[in-house]
Amino acid sequence: MSAVDQDFLASLPPLREVIAEHGLNAKKSLGQNFLFDMNLLGRIVRTAGPLEGYTVYEVGPGPGGLTRAILAAGTERLVAVEMDQRAWPILEDLNQRSGGRLEVIPGDAMKVDEAALLSGKPVRIIANLPYNVGTALLVRWLTTPAWPPFWSSLTLMFQKEVAERIVAKPGTSDYGRLAVLAQWRARPRIAFDVPRQAFTPPPKVTSAVVHIEPCVPIADVPLKSLEVVTLAAFGQRRKMLRASLKSLGMDPAPILEAAGIPGDLRAEVLDVAAFCRLAAAHAELAASRKTR
């Protein structure tokens, strides 16, 4: 891992002064909360692993606190997507000071073709995700059709309750569709918590940094079937599977029988492998109906 470039950090004006100069108050509508503690920001970057040979992708850099820490860790190319135009001059100045290593993409991260934008070197995604789009972005990265995906790791900050849903185990109240999608073909872990007092302004909840690495899928099943099966099962999680899976638009009995799963169970007790069996059975039944 590269040593932190203290000279680079020392050459930058204090982040609080930059924010004040540009009038960049955090906007609730953009899910913004700023971090100023460079020790904490550096810890997030270290959690991602070595940056040599990687392109780093950041969503919602805002005034660039985490961006500074990523650049100081020695990345050769950092691509950041930011829709708040107030932050663009700050980030452009940071690009100049970094020797052109920062590429700022103005706009909405949900509309970016990341695989095309980041092609070439392997990618580490490091971001303090805006609260209002964090889960949607994660689901998109977890459900990319190509696997292994275009990214080598995700190091992301979420509200702690979201982080706990990502790593939750069967039989717990946090276990749901997000856990199944995250654990089907990736290894997620909570690296550490971040207290609300670390932010300006402080959010109402504690946050947590989650690190995710892709792995060999638990089972080779169609992504679409896994998505629809988990959506149906957890959409009515208090119902038994024989009832909740009726929303699939087909008789759930043959699916449950093929998967070897009793219909009187509820979704929260099934492990990821069981959901893979359900997805495989659903895909087979759906395919047979199309050929009739």
Side-chain angles (χ1 to χ4, degrees):
M1 186 180 300
S2 298
V4 176
D5 188 342
Q6 297 291 354
D7 290 339
F8 170 72
L9 291 177
S11 71
L12 301 176
L15 192 56
R16 290 183 184 275
E17 292 182 10
V18 172
I19 290 174
E21 179 183 346
H22 290 265
L24 190 62
N25 59 302
K27 281 190 175 182
K28 186 176 181 180
S29 62
L30 296 177
Q32 292 176 330
N33 299 91
F34 300 150
L35 277 173
F36 297 103
D37 186 339
M38 289 308 301
N39 290 324
L40 179 56
L41 293 166
R43 186 180 180 189
I44 296 171
V45 175
R46 290 193 300 275
T47 299
L51 301 186
E52 295 93 338
Y54 289 86
T55 293
V56 178
Y57 182 58
E58 182 185 7
V59 173
L66 183 57
T67 314
R68 292 180 174 208
I70 295 170
L71 291 169
T75 185
E76 296 177 2
R77 183 189 181 209
L78 169 56
V79 179
V81 178
E82 177 57 65
M83 67 185 306
D84 188 351
Q85 61 183 0
R86 300 174 304 161
W88 297 345
I90 299 175
L91 296 172
E92 178 53 35
D93 179 67
L94 193 52
N95 175 47
Q96 296 297 323
R97 293 174 182 271
S98 71
R101 291 184 289 141
L102 172 61
E103 179 181 346
V104 180
I105 308 296
D108 184 351
M110 292 296 295
K111 299 178 180 178
V112 173
D113 183 352
E114 298 149 336
L117 175 66
L118 304 169
S119 62
K121 294 184 177 181
V123 176
R124 292 199 188 279
I125 300 179
I126 307 174
N128 174 10
L129 291 175
Y131 284 163
N132 54 355
V133 296
T135 303
L137 282 169
L138 174 62
V139 169
R140 189 172 77 169
W141 293 328
L142 291 172
T143 57
T144 179
W147 205 266
F150 71 90
W151 49 269
S152 298
S153 68
L154 308 173
T155 305
L156 309 170
M157 189 182 299
F158 297 97
Q159 297 179 49
K160 188 176 181 180
E161 63 181 30
V162 176
E164 290 174 337
R165 285 166 48 206
I166 294 168
V167 303
K169 299 303 179 185
T172 64
S173 60
D174 290 320
Y175 184 67
R177 182 168 180 259
L178 188 58
V180 175
L181 293 177
Q183 297 171 38
W184 165 43
R185 51 185 185 178
R187 294 186 295 265
R189 64 179 176 86
I190 294 178
F192 58 91
D193 293 345
V194 181
R196 54 185 297 275
Q197 295 81 8
F199 296 90
T200 301
K204 295 180 180 179
V205 295
T206 299
S207 298
V209 173
V210 177
H211 183 72
I212 303 174
E213 295 182 353
C215 64
V216 176
I218 289 175
D220 185 12
V221 297
L223 169 61
K224 183 177 180 180
S225 287
L226 186 63
E227 288 185 295
V228 297
V229 164
T230 53
L231 181 61
F234 287 108
Q236 303 178 75
R237 64 183 298 146
R238 298 314 305 160
K239 290 188 176 182
M240 296 178 183
L241 289 168
R242 63 189 175 209
S244 62
L245 293 182
K246 287 181 179 179
S247 62
L248 291 172
M250 59 181 72
D251 183 2
I255 298 175
L256 290 163
E257 183 178 358
I261 297 172
D264 60 354
L265 297 181
R266 293 183 172 86
E268 63 193 31
V269 305
L270 300 187
D271 61 15
V272 178
F275 274 107
C276 289
R277 297 199 304 273
L278 281 175
H282 170 268
E284 185 175 350
L285 182 59
S288 66
R289 292 177 65 178
K290 286 183 180 179
T291 59
R292 291 176 185 172

